[in-house]
């Protein structure tokens, strides 16, 4: 087998990259928490590892999730990742067949056409050459799309794309050069030895008419090898580190490691698995409404990675989860933001001793926890009281005499100590009451009661509870002809996965019409407590965009299931905005009373505006 010095840039780059990845992955796994390591030990030799390989193939190579979001972008990523793998596998098959041996130097499959000039008698020689040319052409179409994307991202349906740092520029330039240089190298060799396929032979025959192939053949092979070496060496310092890291991330997830609120080793793996594809930029309303161009998760994660994160960027986010929902890698972007907030928070103790003075009613069946925001939209609490009475429920309105914060706003601000204090006060009261169910009107409270309190009793949002009352015929409702459009609150929908219950209730009492952004794709109202930096005018700007979208079909009412969404919308909406609890309360058939109640609620809204 002939050898050549030109293979060294590739070989050195590959060895350096593999050594770096080995050490980096080992450190990441070593730094995981004890429980996470135990999960890995338990699952590594199970079917979960096979599932991880399957998901790696589907997501890291075929880029299935990117395909779902953007077909052209998906094709571009797939042709580069899957195509490159096919080229490597094809090169190995050619080498094994030609040399009739499995132990060949690592560089031979990569530079096979340089080393083999006589394929006479080689099993499937022509078919393999044709296939390799075809794969190279497939990759080159992806490279062409990548050039276009960098300069004309709008052609891909993306309004914005990400910027490059130095490591990215080296890696990107070398990646863009690898496959065109391989084409030129193989084509010049083909023109000299007549060993090419439909692509390389034809191109080689043509270019040999313009340039001396004997002179340029080594130049192209050297350039190809150098571009590979530069790509491998610059990869750890560039966004392309996401390629190997995503494989580790998929495996860790399958083995049971989960994202937490604090920034641990798993969060660092997630951080480096972000490809900076930019898919999360356009769905971010902070960006699309022109409020803040730095908020999208792509920029935020980059600033954390580059250790340039500041408290303003950490806090200036609605925590709506639209980026997380759209991320093809499944990065828990809201947990990443929360971890930074916790890192930066002063984490002071709060003084909530006054809460102990609140009395509670003994032995209720159900606790009703309205939440601070419901107290600011009293139409909701009044409706719930009416509903409880009508259904003859033995309930206790836990925060009737004053707002007792559930603790989630403190959590969203990163102040876990204050959150834990509030949770302690509330939990004691809830447990001592002996109730079996707690119902809340606020999705923010619902999320924290469900996820953080560990109450040991049933936690329901009022849309779930009202469905139960209606299903059990404890609450009579009647429909009318109102056209209602439903807005999914972030914390109830994307945050807690409750999409069907509100719709089921609305279809029983009104005519539910669809809107463009439904369920997982719903927009944030802009009023989110998650953003601690946004100004009121900018909240209204976002809310106005959302209301304009919701009212495109001329509904009579915008319905929602969150007091904060309601309070945000009524400031900018020209149609009525009502919570589902209010609509249900209004739909209870009570002769000579229903219209009057409806008026009450209307007046109340106007007062709040
Ligand atoms: S967070 Fe997800 S969607 Fe956003 S740039 Fe990173 S990988 Fe892409
Ligand atoms: S959580 Fe919402 S506001 Fe924050 S970055 Fe993601 S999409 Fe933008």
């Amino acid at each position: 087998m002939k050898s050549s010095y030109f293979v060294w840039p590739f070989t050195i780059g590959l060895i350096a990259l593999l050594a770096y990845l080995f050490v980096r992955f080992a450190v990441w796994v070593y730094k995981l928490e004890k429980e996470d390591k135990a999960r890995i030990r338990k699952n590594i030799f199970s079917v979960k590892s096979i599932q991880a390989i399957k998901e790696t193939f589907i997501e890291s190579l075929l880029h299935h999730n990117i395909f779902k979001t953007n077909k052209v972008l998906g094709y571009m990523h797939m042709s580069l990742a899957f195509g490159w793998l096919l080229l490597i596998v094809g090169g190995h098959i050619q080498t094994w067949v030609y040399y009739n041996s499995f132990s060949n130097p690592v560089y031979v499959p990569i530079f096979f056409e340089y080393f083999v000039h006589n394929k006479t008698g080689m099993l499937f020689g022509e078919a393999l050459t044709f296939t390799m040319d075809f794969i190279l052409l497939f990759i080159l179409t992806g490279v062409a799309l990548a050039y276009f994307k960098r300069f004309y991202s709008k052609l891909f349906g993306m309004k914005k794309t990400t910027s490059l740092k130095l490591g990215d520029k080296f890696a990107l330039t070398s990646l863009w050069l690898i496959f065109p240089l391989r084409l030129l190298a193989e084509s010049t060799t083909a023109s000299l030895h007549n060993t090419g396929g439909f692509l390389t032979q034809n191109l080689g025959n043509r270019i040999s008419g313009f340039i001396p192939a004997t002179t340029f053949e080594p130049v192209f092979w050297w350039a190809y090898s150098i571009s590979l070496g530069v790509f491998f060496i610059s990869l750890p310092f560039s966004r392309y580190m996401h390629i190997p890291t995503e494989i580790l991330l998929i495996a860790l997830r399958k083995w049971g490691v989960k994202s937490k609120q604090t920034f641990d080793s798993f969060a660092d793996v997630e951080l480096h698995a972000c490809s900076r594809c930019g898919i999360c930029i356009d769905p971010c309303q902070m960006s699309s409404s022109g409020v803040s161009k730095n908020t999208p998760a792509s920029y935020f994660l980059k600033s954390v990675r580059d250790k340039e994160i500041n408290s303003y960027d950490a806090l200036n986010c609605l925590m709506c989860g639209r980026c997380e929902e759209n991320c093809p890698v499944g990065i828990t972007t809201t947990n990443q933001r929360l971890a930074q907030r916790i890192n930066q928070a002063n984490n002071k103790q709060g003084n909530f001793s006054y809460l102990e003075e609140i009395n509670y009613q003994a032995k209720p069946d159900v606790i009703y926890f309205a939440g601070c925001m419901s107290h600011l939209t009293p139409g909701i609490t009044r409706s719930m009281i009416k509903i409880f009475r009508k259904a003859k429920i033995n309930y206790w309105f836990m925060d009737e005499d004053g707002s007792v914060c559930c603790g989630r706003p403190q959590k969203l601000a990163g102040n876990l100590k204050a959150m834990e204090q509030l949770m302690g006060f509330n939990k004691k009261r809830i447990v001592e009451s002996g109730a079996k169910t707690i119902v809340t009107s606020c999705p923010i409270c619902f999320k924290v009661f469900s996820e953080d309190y560990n109450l040991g009793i049933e936690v329901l949002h009022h849309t779930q509870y009202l469905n139960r009352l209606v299903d059990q015929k404890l609450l009579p409702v009647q429909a009318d002809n109102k056209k209602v459009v439903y807005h999914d609150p972030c914390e109830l929908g994307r945050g807690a996965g409750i999409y069907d219950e509100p719709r089921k209730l609305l279809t029983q009492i009104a005519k539910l019409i669809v809107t463009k952004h439904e369920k997982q794709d719903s927009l944030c109202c802009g009023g989110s407590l998650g953003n601690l930096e946004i100004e009121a005018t900018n909240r209204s700007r976002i809310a106005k965009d959302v209301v304009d979208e919701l009212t495109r079909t001329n509904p009579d009412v915008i319905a929602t299931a969150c007091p904060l969404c309601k309070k945000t919308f009524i400031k900018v909406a020209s149609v009525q905005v009502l919570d589902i609890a209010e609509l249900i309360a209004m739909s209870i058939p009570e002769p000579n009373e229903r219209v009057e109640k409806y008026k009450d609620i209307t007046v109340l809204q106007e007062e709040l505006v």
Side-chain angles (χ1 to χ4, degrees):
M1 185 185 299
K2 77 176 185 179
S3 181
S4 179
Y5 290 120
F6 82 86
V7 301
W8 281 110
F10 157 78
T11 311
I12 292 168
L14 183 65
I15 292 168
L17 176 63
L18 292 178
Y20 175 85
L21 290 180
F22 178 79
V23 174
R24 190 76 199 258
F25 281 22
V27 171
W28 267 328
V29 173
Y30 175 74
K31 285 188 173 173
L32 285 172
E33 290 178 8
K34 262 190 194 163
E35 298 75 29
D36 288 335
K37 285 186 199 160
R39 285 187 192 105
I40 294 174
R41 280 195 296 277
K42 187 175 158 217
N43 293 319
I44 193 165
F45 296 113
S46 73
V47 71
K48 300 210 162 138
S49 293
I50 296 168
Q51 290 169 353
I53 293 169
K54 186 178 161 200
E55 190 176 327
T56 300
F57 182 76
I58 293 171
E59 295 306 338
S60 299
L61 294 172
L62 300 185
H63 291 279
H64 168 254
N65 271 335
I66 299 185
F67 250 114
K68 278 197 298 187
T69 314
N70 186 324
K71 296 213 166 14
V72 185
L73 203 59
Y75 175 83
M76 184 194 89
H77 282 277
M78 183 193 69
S79 59
L80 287 169
F82 186 50
W84 200 350
L85 177 79
L86 288 178
L87 212 55
I88 294 167
V89 172
H92 278 85
I93 293 172
Q94 278 183 310
T95 309
W96 294 334
V97 172
Y98 183 82
Y99 292 104
N100 197 20
S101 163
F102 288 110
S103 60
N104 301 295
V106 67
Y107 51 80
V108 176
I110 310 301
F111 305 105
F112 180 81
E113 293 297 332
Y114 175 82
F115 291 109
V116 176
H117 295 158
N118 184 0
K119 296 179 187 166
T120 314
M122 179 182 165
L123 197 62
F124 305 121
E126 279 190 23
L128 283 169
T129 305
F130 176 89
T131 307
M132 292 298 277
D133 268 19
F134 185 79
I135 296 169
L136 186 56
L137 184 61
F138 171 54
I139 298 173
L140 286 166
T141 58
V143 174
L145 285 173
Y147 295 152
F148 275 113
K149 177 180 173 272
R150 176 79 354 227
F151 301 112
Y152 308 103
S153 61
K154 287 193 175 72
L155 288 179
F156 285 70
M158 298 171 78
K159 291 187 203 112
K160 292 196 176 125
T161 185
T162 49
S163 58
L164 302 174
K165 58 178 189 163
L166 191 64
D168 296 328
K169 285 179 183 162
F170 267 104
L172 184 70
T173 310
S174 52
L175 180 63
W176 280 2
L177 288 174
I178 286 170
F179 302 102
L181 285 170
R182 176 172 174 137
L183 175 67
L184 288 171
E186 290 189 345
S187 298
T188 45
T189 299
S191 75
L192 292 172
H193 305 286
N194 214 22
T195 49
F198 72 93
L199 178 67
T200 46
Q201 191 64 55
N202 280 324
L203 183 67
N205 293 344
R206 279 171 203 276
I207 59 176
S208 61
F210 301 101
I211 57 171
T214 322
T215 311
F216 277 87
E217 187 203 24
V219 174
F220 288 142
W221 283 109
W222 266 99
Y224 172 47
S225 178
I226 289 170
S227 63
L228 281 166
V230 171
F231 179 69
F232 292 151
I233 291 194
S234 56
L235 183 142
F237 310 102
S238 74
R239 61 167 65 181
Y240 296 100
M241 184 61 193
H242 82 89
I243 300 169
T245 312
E246 189 184 351
I247 297 170
L248 177 66
L249 178 66
I250 290 171
L252 290 177
R253 274 198 212 122
K254 285 288 172 201
W255 293 331
V257 183
K258 287 202 171 77
S259 152
K260 302 169 194 71
Q261 293 162 10
T262 45
F263 192 83
D264 63 355
S265 189
F266 180 76
D268 201 33
V269 173
E270 270 199 337
L271 195 63
H272 287 83
C274 167
S275 62
R276 291 180 58 203
C277 62
I279 285 178
C280 56
I281 298 175
D282 288 349
C284 177
Q285 291 166 259
M286 290 289 289
S287 171
S288 62
S289 63
V291 173
S292 162
K293 69 177 175 53
N294 289 332
T295 296
S298 181
Y299 304 132
F300 165 72
L301 295 176
K302 178 182 178 295
S303 66
V304 178
R305 241 185 345 250
D306 296 348
K307 303 198 178 359
E308 290 167 356
I309 183 71
N310 57 50
S311 80
Y312 181 80
D313 287 341
L315 296 173
N316 193 22
C317 161
L318 298 164
M319 302 292 268
C320 66
R322 279 175 60 78
C323 46
E324 193 164 321
E325 192 64 43
N326 282 279
C327 174
V329 184
I331 293 172
T332 55
T333 52
T334 44
N335 268 3
Q336 288 278 349
R337 183 97 53 174
L338 192 54
Q340 293 306 316
R341 291 180 178 192
I342 291 167
N343 274 351
Q344 293 171 358
N346 292 329
N347 222 3
K348 287 186 190 138
Q349 297 272 351
N351 180 6
F352 304 115
S353 54
Y354 64 93
L355 295 175
E356 282 181 322
E357 293 160 20
I358 298 172
N359 295 320
Y360 63 89
Q361 172 195 322
K363 304 290 173 223
D365 294 327
V366 175
I367 292 175
Y368 175 55
F369 189 94
C372 313
M373 287 300 139
S374 301
H375 283 287
L376 295 174
T377 49
I380 298 175
T381 51
R382 287 175 14 180
S383 299
M384 285 302 291
I385 291 168
K386 178 182 173 182
I387 289 165
F388 281 121
R389 287 180 183 161
K390 187 76 189 172
K392 298 190 172 47
I393 304 297
N394 171 24
Y395 77 102
W396 170 40
F397 190 165
M398 180 173 156
D399 55 341
E400 183 172 17
D401 297 327
S403 291
V404 187
C405 181
C406 62
R408 185 150 171 86
Q410 285 74 13
K411 179 178 178 178
L412 289 172
N415 198 346
L416 294 188
K417 273 192 190 153
M419 175 211 185
E420 279 157 16
Q421 275 180 283
L422 278 166
M423 279 172 50
F425 281 118
N426 287 332
K427 186 171 178 178
K428 185 166 175 283
R429 288 190 182 86
I430 293 166
V431 171
E432 284 179 357
S433 77
K436 297 280 178 289
T437 302
I438 180 165
V439 177
T440 175
S441 287
C442 175
I444 300 165
C445 306
F446 173 70
K447 199 162 160 61
V448 77
F449 283 141
S450 318
E451 292 180 2
D452 296 302
Y453 270 67
N454 196 15
L455 288 168
I457 64 169
E458 185 181 40
V459 180
L460 296 175
H461 181 257
H462 72 220
T463 52
Q464 296 172 300
Y465 186 65
L466 295 178
N467 258 301
R468 180 182 294 176
L469 293 182
V470 173
D471 285 351
Q472 292 176 348
K473 308 220 179 305
L474 292 171
L475 194 63
V477 290
Q478 68 180 17
D480 64 20
N481 287 328
K482 281 191 298 291
K483 279 201 299 175
V484 174
V485 66
Y486 177 61
H487 165 77
D488 287 280
C490 300
E491 297 264 31
L492 191 67
R494 279 184 295 273
I498 296 177
Y499 296 111
D500 296 336
E501 289 88 340
R503 288 174 170 78
K504 191 175 161 203
L505 282 170
L506 288 171
T507 49
Q508 292 179 76
I509 57 170
K511 194 171 168 218
L512 180 62
I513 49 179
V514 289
T515 180
K516 187 177 170 195
H517 298 278
E518 295 253 349
K519 299 188 175 178
Q520 286 89 346
D521 185 38
S522 72
L523 298 168
C524 173
C525 68
S528 165
L529 292 179
N531 194 322
L532 286 91
E533 290 290 351
I534 189 171
E535 290 168 8
T537 47
N538 284 332
R539 285 194 191 280
S540 295
R541 196 159 145 189
I542 293 173
K544 183 80 177 64
D545 288 347
V546 181
V547 165
D548 286 349
E549 192 59 58
L550 286 167
T551 50
R552 255 179 227 289
T553 44
N554 297 320
D556 300 316
V557 175
I558 295 174
T560 186
C562 169
L564 187 53
C565 296
K566 178 185 167 182
K567 193 165 164 43
T568 308
F569 284 153
I570 55 179
K571 290 178 185 156
V572 293
S574 53
V575 299
Q576 200 165 30
V577 184
L578 291 170
D579 189 278
I580 289 181
E582 293 170 296
L583 285 161
I584 289 288
M586 286 157 50
S587 75
I588 297 171
E590 289 181 59
N592 307 324
E593 196 185 4
R594 194 177 72 83
V595 174
E596 197 182 322
K597 290 279 175 193
Y598 190 86
K599 273 185 189 159
D600 275 351
I601 291 166
T602 310
V603 170
L604 193 57
Q605 277 200 84
E606 284 161 0
E607 284 167 4
L608 284 166
V609 175

